[in-house]
Amino acid sequence: MSAQPYGPNTAGVRRFLVQLAGLGKDDRRLVVERYTQVSATHTWRAAEQHLATAIERSGREPQRDALTGPLLQLVRPVNAPAPATEDEALALLDPVAEPALAALLALMVEELLPPDAVETLRAPFAGVIARS
C-alpha cells in the first residue's frame, strides 16, 4: 500500500478519522442534525457536484475507494448480525456515516475544490472536529 493511500492530504484524512472515532453521542447527534439541514440546500448540492468532478478528473477513485474501509469500521455497529440485504446494511450504519464521507472526500481532494465547497462539506463538523 502507498504511503499516501488517500492522496496528498492523507495525514489530514487520518487525523479526521481519529477524531471521528473519538466523537461522543452528543457530538454525533449534533453533526447529523446539522447535516440534515445543510444537505437539503442548493449550496450543498453544488459542493457535492464540485466534489464528484474533482474526484473523477483527478483520477482519485482508488483513493476514494480506499477511504471507505476505515470509515465503515467506524460507523458499523459492533457485534450486529450480518444483514441480509444491502438496504439492511445501510440502515445499520451510524447516521454520521454520510456527513463523514462527504467531509473526508472533501479533505481528500481539498486542493482541487473551491474553498467554499470544502467549507460546506465540512460544515456539519464545525466545532466538533478541528480543522487541520
Side-chain angles (χ1 to χ4, degrees):
M1 178 169 264
S2 166
Q4 292 190 314
Y6 313 122
N9 197 18
T10 290
V13 167
R14 286 181 173 152
R15 279 190 299 275
F16 188 97
L17 286 167
V18 168
Q19 291 179 61
L20 178 63
L23 289 185
K25 288 181 182 181
D26 290 342
D27 284 337
R28 286 174 182 254
R29 187 174 20 256
L30 175 62
V31 167
V32 171
E33 288 171 6
R34 289 176 177 171
Y35 172 73
T36 299
Q37 293 171 351
V38 72
S39 67
T41 66
H42 172 73
T43 303
W44 182 271
R45 289 188 297 278
E48 282 187 316
Q49 184 59 48
H50 284 296
L51 179 61
T53 301
I55 291 170
E56 183 180 321
R57 287 188 179 162
S58 66
R60 293 192 193 164
E61 290 91 348
Q63 289 84 1
R64 175 202 60 207
D65 296 345
L67 182 60
T68 59
L71 177 59
L72 284 174
Q73 289 177 358
L74 296 175
V75 297
R76 280 187 182 144
V78 178
N79 299 326
T85 66
E86 186 176 324
D87 286 341
E88 283 181 20
L90 290 174
L92 290 174
L93 295 179
D94 184 321
V96 82
E98 199 168 345
L101 180 60
L104 284 162
L105 290 174
L107 277 171
M108 186 187 81
V109 293
E110 182 172 17
E111 79 283 3
L112 304 174
L113 292 175
D116 61 325
V118 174
E119 291 308 313
T120 296
L121 295 167
R122 287 184 48 91
F125 291 92
V128 175
I129 290 186
R131 183 88 166 109
S132 50

